[in-house]
Amino acid sequence: MKKKQIIAIALVCCIVIATGLVGVRSAIMMNDLKEKSTATAQKNLEQILGMAGDKISLPDEEYIGQIDIVGTIQEDAATPTSFVSGSQYRHSMYLKYIEQMEGDEKNKGILLFVDSPGGTVYASDEMYLRLMEYKEKTGRPVYAYFASQACSGAYYISMAADKIYANRNCWTGSIGVIISLMNYEKMLDKIGVSEIDITSGKNKTIGSAAHEMTEEQRKILQSLVDEAYDQFTGIVSTGRKMDIAQVKKLADGRIYSALQAKDNKLIDEIMGFEEMKEAYAASVGSEGITFFQPADDTQWMQLFGGLFGLGKRFGTDSDIQAAKDWIEQDESGVLMYYAR
């Protein structure tokens, strides 16, 4: 064997050995990193999921508590399902937050920062009632600030506010109720699939996507919508000190610009967020007061939601399954104060 060949073989062997060592080292490092990342993620996830049972650490100085009504308003947004929905609204945590502030003498009021299209009738009403209870027990003011949108259920909650300020580019209103359903009976007929339901009554399948809705069933659902609508307009009438007839004239589901909303007395003032906070601080007699928010866990929620969405994107779901997932998520059949 020639000298050059021996040198070449030796060089290749050295490269292979070096590559192997680097690979082993990299694998060890990646494994350590994976374990540390998993441990960190698990710790943060446990903190997020356990937040509902923990007390929030409130400031030692006087403060106004800020609550972010951001994203879709729903009662279970603090559960792991919110990771996939991307909602930033934390219903259970905010209810506990209000309860703590209620008994804290350093708390001087609540600021609602609103940027939401609305949400479920149940969650919107529960938050509204809790804020009204806070005001009744403490006598402290509640202000609301509307960012880019404050529609339907978000506007409903804001009726607990003593004053409402809005960004000049805000869209608000959408006072109304909606139930969204999907019907794919014709599609099932085309592919030879039928749903068989054994029920205790003719209206037990109301809202079923596999059956055409009867006129009677439509009237039943309409009665639920009408009742929730009357509740909504009554809340607006009380909150804005307006005649109910005037409210119903405005409450046809349309969205208003900030200027239109002010002209129709749906809000009080149009200004920037920082300017609004200065006005609020002055109203409680403390210009340098702290505006306190609970620790933000939404970054972790968004991270998990993004990873989940990425996984779904590269998954092997069929078109039918994808359609089914969309239908279940978007057309739930739940009473909503929501801007479509």
Side-chain angles (χ1 to χ4, degrees), residues 178 226 302:
I178 185 171
D226 292 344
Q302 291 169 352

Side-chain angles (χ1 to χ4, degrees), residues 207-312:
S208 170
H211 301 292
E212 190 70 30
M213 185 179 294
T214 67
E215 187 59 32
E216 181 181 9
Q217 291 172 344
R218 185 177 293 275
K219 287 180 179 178
I220 291 171
L221 292 180
Q222 185 65 54
S223 70
L224 300 178
V225 169
D226 292 344
E227 187 175 318
Y229 174 79
D230 287 341
Q231 179 174 290
F232 197 160
T233 52
I235 291 296
V236 175
S237 176
T238 301
R240 299 304 299 167
K241 297 178 176 60
M242 295 168 62
D243 182 77
I244 190 67
Q246 183 183 1
V247 172
K248 289 192 173 183
K249 186 177 179 180
L250 298 169
D252 60 0
R254 75 181 66 185
I255 293 171
Y256 296 92
S257 69
L259 185 58
Q260 291 168 350
K262 185 179 179 183
D263 288 343
N264 285 297
K265 301 181 180 179
L266 295 175
I267 66 171
D268 295 298
E269 298 291 343
I270 299 173
M271 63 176 61
F273 185 48
E274 293 303 320
E275 186 181 359
M276 176 267 176
K277 287 200 294 184
E278 290 176 4
Y280 195 177
S283 73
V284 298
S286 181
E287 294 184 1
I289 198 167
T290 298
F291 285 83
F292 176 76
Q293 293 174 266
D296 183 13
D297 58 31
T298 59
Q299 291 180 350
W300 281 97
M301 290 183 179
Q302 291 169 352
L303 172 61
F304 290 135
L307 291 175
F308 182 88
L310 189 62
K312 291 286 285 183

Side-chain angles (χ1 to χ4, degrees), residues 47-218:
Q47 289 177 350
I48 293 171
L49 297 179
M51 185 172 288
D54 296 336
K55 285 191 173 183
I56 298 165
S57 297
L58 300 176
D60 294 327
E61 67 274 10
E62 290 186 347
Y63 67 96
I64 292 171
Q66 181 172 324
I67 294 177
D68 291 344
I69 311 297
V70 177
T72 301
I73 300 161
Q74 52 188 10
E75 59 274 17
D76 59 350
T79 68
T81 58
S82 63
F83 298 162
V84 301
S85 69
S87 175
Q88 300 175 43
Y89 178 73
R90 295 165 286 173
H91 189 70
S92 298
M93 192 197 78
Y94 288 144
L95 291 175
K96 291 182 180 293
Y97 182 30
I98 295 170
E99 181 180 1
Q100 281 186 243
M101 288 190 288
E102 195 173 75
D104 185 10
E105 293 183 358
K106 293 186 294 295
N107 170 254
K108 300 303 175 183
I110 289 177
L111 167 61
L112 304 175
F113 179 85
V114 185
D115 196 356
S116 167
T120 67
V121 168
Y122 178 87
S124 300
D125 188 52
E126 185 174 36
M127 179 55 67
Y128 165 79
L129 291 174
R130 190 64 189 84
L131 288 165
M132 293 299 290
E133 184 181 359
Y134 163 88
K135 288 174 57 176
E136 183 180 349
K137 289 184 176 180
T138 66
R140 302 167 198 158
V142 173
Y143 279 23
Y145 183 80
F146 293 173
S148 66
Q149 58 178 333
C151 297
S152 213
Y155 187 77
Y156 185 106
I157 290 174
S158 301
M159 292 302 95
D162 299 287
K163 285 192 175 182
I164 298 176
Y165 298 80
N167 182 281
R168 66 181 183 176
N169 296 307
C170 176
W171 284 3
T172 187
S174 187
I175 301 169
V177 191
I178 185 171
I179 294 180
S180 295
L181 298 166
M182 181 69 69
N183 183 274
Y184 46 82
E185 182 181 16
K186 292 180 180 179
M187 181 188 72
L188 295 179
D189 289 341
K190 286 184 179 180
I191 60 178
V193 176
S194 62
E195 179 179 310
I196 299 173
D197 298 304
I198 300 172
T199 70
S200 57
K202 60 181 178 179
N203 290 316
K204 188 61 179 174
T205 58
I206 189 169
S208 170
H211 301 292
E212 190 70 30
M213 185 179 294
T214 67
E215 187 59 32
E216 181 181 9
Q217 291 172 344
R218 185 177 293 275

